[in-house]
């Protein structure tokens, strides 16, 4: 690739606006420049609302009304987009510009086979015959590394794993030989091993096929691993752009330095993660109130066992409708045992399908165990959870959007369990408690008057945490609470959870597939594979001297700025340290 090569994408002074109901205008993208040459991967990073996805939508003609390109120019393969229509003669989305979106299940039609979806674009744009399109579809399946491609061609999306579905999406994006691919968060929901495979595939596409790739992501480890150049956006504007290594090791913009510093390291454990501001640190008044209201959960020494799980097994079965055929049984969890101590954050890590969420749901009473015992605060739990147990055992789910009732104001949503468990004498007292909890999670008191749609994803997750704290639990189960959040918001929430553990004596079962987050948060960690715990140790021992081959493989595959860029390259905001 040379400097004289014609760019596959050349964006100059791009401005995107959304007119608002009050007559004002929201400037979603401001004076943005970005260039991608053939075979180059250019990462576009920033927090939610930074404008990175809007840039991708603008160049693909996917801006939703009333959004519009106000000014600037977008040139794809030497052809300029008409700013009034978002289209250009000779450039067709799907043919000349491919797209890889975050969720492959929403990108693929569940009613059609993989073959029909791969062939559709080729039949329409390349005018191939059905036989030629099927042959090319099979080649693409092999190229993206899907096992048994002949059989998988006839599969439906639900019959494939998450990684296989994402590979099909990549194959679909490649079907018409595009010069440019927009990959919007293509690995966010994937486990480290699947993510490593997808990243290698994307890098190979750029190197071997000369495809230019715009990689929209908030994962700085992914950026360090495969991107040639990186552009960092904040509030719709570019704050820094340049070669990846240069930007990640010596950023000039204060926001860029803060964003990179907020990435949790996997090599060492920090007391607190750097964030743009410590607004989410619990105030002194809120600390005192929450500590007083949670006093019952602080009794006893740190070594007291709050939760004891022994030989837990969970099976899913379906009765056969065919006479004489046996029912099929899937063993999701097989003989899992562990303890969670008072005031401890216990980590459960593993790939999708390993059984970690099933374990959490069994403890919470959302899934019925097949065998084994669950002992909570000295009481054996049966199939049904008593009211006192449900009060003392609360859960924070991965998706705060679906965890909150959109019809309730935030104060009412937080006060609801407080009133249900009779922890307040009247509604007014419950609302006062809700206000205190909002302040405890770093939100202003007036936030309680708004509905959940008025908040960002990170703010919604703080509200979900406040609601879970309302019943004054002894154990908080956190199931992937930060996996979909930007690094700076993630850092704030991780610091917040540590604060709440310290001030309220909470025990936590913390579930994640992000090993860097696990190292920062947990005192002890259990690694799960295929429904079983393969290794359990204190966090530092597990990360510095893992015993099981599977644990070593997970650690090897996890993206790491320190490992990729070199231990001697100082990360802004803190020194590079080896664990």
């Amino acid at each position: 690739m040379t400097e004289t090569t014609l760019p596959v994408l050349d964006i100059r002074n791009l401005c995107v606006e959304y007119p608002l109901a009050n007559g004002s205008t929201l400037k979603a993208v401001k004076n943005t420049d970005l260039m991608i040459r053939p075979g180059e991967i250019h990462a576009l990073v920033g927090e939610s609302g930074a404008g990175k996805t809007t840039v991708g939508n603008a160049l693909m003609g996917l801006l939703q009304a009333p959004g519009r390109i106000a000014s600037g120019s977008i040139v794809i393969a030497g052809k300029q987009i008409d700013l009034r229509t978002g289209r250009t003669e000779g450039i067709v989305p799907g043919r000349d510009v491919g797209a890889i979106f975050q969720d492959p299940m929403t990108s693929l039609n569940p009613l059609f086979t993989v073959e029909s979806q791969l062939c559709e674009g080729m039949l329409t744009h390349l005018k191939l015959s059905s036989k030629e399109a099927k042959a090319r579809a099979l080649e693409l399946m092999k190229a993206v590394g899907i096992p048994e491609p002949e059989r998988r061609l006839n599969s439906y999306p639900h019959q494939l794993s998450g990684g296989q579905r994402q590979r099909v999406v990549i194959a679909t994006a490649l079907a018409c030989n595009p010069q440019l691919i927009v990959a919007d968060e293509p690995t966010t929901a994937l486990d480290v091993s699947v993510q490593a495979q997808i990243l290698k595939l994307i890098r190979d596409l750029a190197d071997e096929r000369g495809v230019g790739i715009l990689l929209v992501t908030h994962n700085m480890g992914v950026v360090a691993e495969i991107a040639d150049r990186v552009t960092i956006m904040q509030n719709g504007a570019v704050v820094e752009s340049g070669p990846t290594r240069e930007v990640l090791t010596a950023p000039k913009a204060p926001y860029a330095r803060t964003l990179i510093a907020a990435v949790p390291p996997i090599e060492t454990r920090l007391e607190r993660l750097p964030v743009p501001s410590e607004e989410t640190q619990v105030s002194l008044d809120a600390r005192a109130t929450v500590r007083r209201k949670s006093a019952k959960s602080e009794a006893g020494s740190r070594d007291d066992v709050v939760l004891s799980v022994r030989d837990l097994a969970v099976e899913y079965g379906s009765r056969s409708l065919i006479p004489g055929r046996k029912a099929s049984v899937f063993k999701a969890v097989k003989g899992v045992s562990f303890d969670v101590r008072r005031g401890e954050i216990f980590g459960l890590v593993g790939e999708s399908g390993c059984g970690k969420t099933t374990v959490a749901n069994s403890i919470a009473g959302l899934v019925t165990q097949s065998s084994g015992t669950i002992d909570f605060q000295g009481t054996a739990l049966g199939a049904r959870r008593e009211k006192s147990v449900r009060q003392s055992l609360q859960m924070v789910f991965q998706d705060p959007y679906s965890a909150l009732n959109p019809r309730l104001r935030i104060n009412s949503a937080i006060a609801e369990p407080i009133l249900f468990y009779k922890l307040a004498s009247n509604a007014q007292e419950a609302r006062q408690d809700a206000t205190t909890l909002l302040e405890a999670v770093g939100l202003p008191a007036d936030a309680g008057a708004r509905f959940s749609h008025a908040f960002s994803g990170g703010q919604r997750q703080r509200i979900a945490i406040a609601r879970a704290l309302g019943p004054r639990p002894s154990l908080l189960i956190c199931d992937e609470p930060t996996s979909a959040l930007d690094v700076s918001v993630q850092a704030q929430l991780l610091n917040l959870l540590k604060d709440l553990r310290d001030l309220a004596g909470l025990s936590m079962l913390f579930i994640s597939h992000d090993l860097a987050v696990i190292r920062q948060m947990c005192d002890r960690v259990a690694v799960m594979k295929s429904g079983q715990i393969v290794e359990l140790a204190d966090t530092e021992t597990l990360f510095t001297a893992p015993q099981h081959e599977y644990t070593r493989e997970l650690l090897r595959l996890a993206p790491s700025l320190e490992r990729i860029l070199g231990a001697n390259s100082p990360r802004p905001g803190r020194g590079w340290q080896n664990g």
Side-chain angles (χ1 to χ4, degrees):
M1 183 177 69
T2 65
E3 290 301 314
T4 57
T5 305
L6 183 70
V8 295
L9 176 66
D10 191 2
I11 297 175
R12 299 290 177 91
N13 202 34
L14 178 66
C15 295
V16 178
E17 297 179 348
Y18 287 87
L20 303 178
N22 61 9
S24 62
T25 299
L26 171 66
K27 295 183 178 181
V29 176
K30 312 165 189 172
N31 307 110
T32 294
D33 295 339
L34 191 148
M35 181 184 291
I36 301 177
R37 297 185 181 278
E40 183 177 76
I41 299 178
H42 194 124
L44 191 59
V45 303
E47 298 175 285
S48 295
K52 54 188 188 294
T53 296
T54 303
V55 171
N57 288 340
L59 68 92
M60 290 190 293
L62 297 178
L63 279 180
Q64 292 187 345
R68 66 185 185 91
I69 300 175
S71 62
S73 67
I74 301 175
V75 178
I76 299 175
K79 300 175 182 178
Q80 187 159 328
I81 287 180
D82 185 336
L83 301 186
R84 296 169 299 173
T85 63
R87 305 279 179 174
T88 184
E89 180 129 8
I91 294 293
V92 178
R95 186 191 70 186
D96 303 292
V97 182
I100 305 170
F101 295 106
Q102 179 175 351
D103 183 5
M105 278 302 284
T106 58
S107 301
L108 298 171
N109 191 323
L111 301 179
F112 293 95
T113 64
V114 168
E115 179 184 334
S116 64
Q117 296 184 67
L118 275 173
C119 292
E120 182 182 17
M122 293 184 279
L123 294 171
T124 303
H125 298 305
L126 302 184
K127 307 302 181 184
L128 299 181
S129 67
S130 297
K131 184 178 179 180
E132 290 171 333
K134 183 176 180 179
R136 177 159 169 74
L138 184 59
E139 290 177 6
L140 288 167
M141 293 282 278
K142 293 176 181 178
V144 298
I146 293 179
E148 302 179 274
E150 294 86 355
R151 184 169 69 87
R152 294 300 185 187
L153 268 178
N154 297 316
S155 300
Y156 290 87
H158 73 272
Q159 295 174 310
L160 306 178
S161 69
Q164 289 172 338
R165 284 194 290 266
Q166 193 64 296
R167 288 170 186 263
V168 170
V169 171
I170 293 173
T172 304
L174 288 171
C176 298
N177 292 318
Q179 299 181 57
L180 174 68
I181 289 179
V182 179
D184 192 354
E185 300 283 6
T187 63
T188 295
L190 301 180
D191 305 309
V192 289
S193 59
V194 180
Q195 174 179 268
Q197 296 167 5
I198 297 298
L199 292 180
K200 183 180 184 303
L201 179 58
I202 291 174
R203 183 69 263 179
D204 289 345
L205 293 177
D207 293 341
E208 297 172 9
R209 295 174 178 249
V211 179
I213 296 174
L214 177 63
L215 177 65
V216 179
T217 184
H218 63 250
N219 190 323
M220 303 302 283
V222 168
V223 173
E225 190 155 329
I226 68 167
D228 300 298
R229 297 180 65 84
V230 59
T231 293
I232 298 177
M233 295 186 71
Q234 181 188 25
N235 299 327
V238 172
V239 297
E240 185 143 1
S241 184
T244 299
R245 188 178 189 85
E246 179 182 314
V247 171
L248 294 186
T249 57
K252 301 176 180 63
Y255 173 76
R257 290 196 295 269
T258 302
L259 190 68
I260 296 167
V263 179
I266 196 172
E267 284 75 14
T268 188
R269 183 182 175 110
L270 305 175
E271 285 300 316
R272 294 186 70 78
L273 291 166
V275 294
S277 67
E278 286 294 344
E279 293 174 357
T280 56
Q281 189 169 359
V282 179
S283 69
L284 293 176
D285 290 342
R287 278 178 177 269
T289 304
V290 174
R291 184 181 292 277
R292 185 178 69 251
K293 290 182 177 295
S294 304
K296 69 172 187 176
S297 69
E298 295 185 87
S301 69
R302 182 181 174 84
D303 292 330
D304 289 345
V305 173
V306 172
L307 176 72
S308 180
V309 177
R310 290 290 176 271
D311 298 319
L312 179 67
V314 178
E315 296 178 351
Y316 297 106
S318 60
R319 189 172 57 185
S320 175
L321 298 178
I322 302 175
R325 181 172 293 182
K326 294 182 179 180
S328 60
V329 175
F330 172 67
K331 296 181 180 180
V333 176
K334 314 165 191 174
V336 165
S337 300
F338 63 89
D339 295 328
V340 180
R341 301 164 187 156
R342 192 173 306 279
E344 178 183 49
I345 301 180
F346 185 90
L348 206 55
V349 68
E351 297 177 289
S352 294
C354 71
K356 56 187 187 296
T357 294
T358 302
V359 169
N361 289 339
S362 299
I363 296 167
L366 302 177
V367 169
T368 302
Q369 67 207 62
S370 303
S371 62
T373 61
I374 301 174
D375 188 284
F376 179 60
Q377 293 184 324
T379 302
L381 302 183
R384 186 180 174 201
R385 300 291 182 264
E386 299 298 326
K387 186 175 180 179
S388 60
V389 171
R390 298 200 306 271
Q391 175 187 338
S392 297
L393 198 159
Q394 293 291 311
M395 197 161 181
V396 178
F397 296 95
Q398 178 175 354
D399 182 11
Y401 293 81
S402 57
L404 297 170
N405 189 331
R407 297 184 177 182
L408 291 181
R409 296 185 188 275
I410 296 307
N411 256 339
S412 298
I414 298 174
E416 184 180 37
I418 297 173
L419 288 169
F420 178 79
Y421 291 115
K422 296 181 171 55
L423 299 175
S425 56
N426 53 55
Q428 182 179 357
E429 183 180 333
R431 284 194 294 271
Q432 289 174 346
D433 285 353
T435 299
T436 299
L437 287 166
L438 279 174
E439 293 174 346
V441 298
L443 292 173
D446 60 8
R450 289 180 267 167
F451 293 93
S452 58
H453 71 265
F455 297 90
S456 68
Q459 289 172 326
R460 283 192 189 96
Q461 196 63 292
R462 292 182 220 168
I463 293 166
I465 292 171
R467 192 175 192 273
L469 291 174
R472 306 168 197 172
S474 302
L475 176 68
L476 198 61
I477 300 175
C478 301
D479 189 4
E480 300 278 11
T482 64
S483 64
L485 301 180
D486 304 310
V487 288
S488 57
V489 178
Q490 173 182 264
Q492 293 169 0
L493 276 173
L494 295 180
N495 288 342
L496 169 64
L497 287 171
K498 282 186 175 181
D499 284 344
L500 293 173
R501 188 271 298 271
D502 294 340
L503 71 93
L506 275 175
S507 302
M508 295 186 199
L509 176 61
F510 194 93
I511 298 170
S512 179
H513 64 253
D514 189 325
L515 291 166
V517 168
I518 286 288
R519 183 160 198 180
Q520 298 309 311
M521 286 297 297
C522 301
D523 302 300
R524 291 187 302 138
V525 181
V527 179
M528 288 192 68
K529 180 184 181 184
S530 303
Q532 297 175 303
I533 291 178
V534 297
E535 186 164 359
L536 195 161
D538 68 86
T539 302
E540 291 308 298
T541 298
L542 186 130
F543 277 82
T544 56
Q547 299 301 305
H548 197 277
E549 177 59 33
Y550 177 69
T551 307
R552 291 195 289 269
E553 181 69 3
L554 288 181
L555 291 170
R556 184 185 69 81
L557 292 173
S560 162
L561 293 183
E562 282 85 346
R563 185 174 66 245
I564 296 168
L565 298 177
N568 295 323
S569 301
R571 187 197 290 211
R574 60 174 180 263
W576 293 81
Q577 302 173 43
N578 293 319

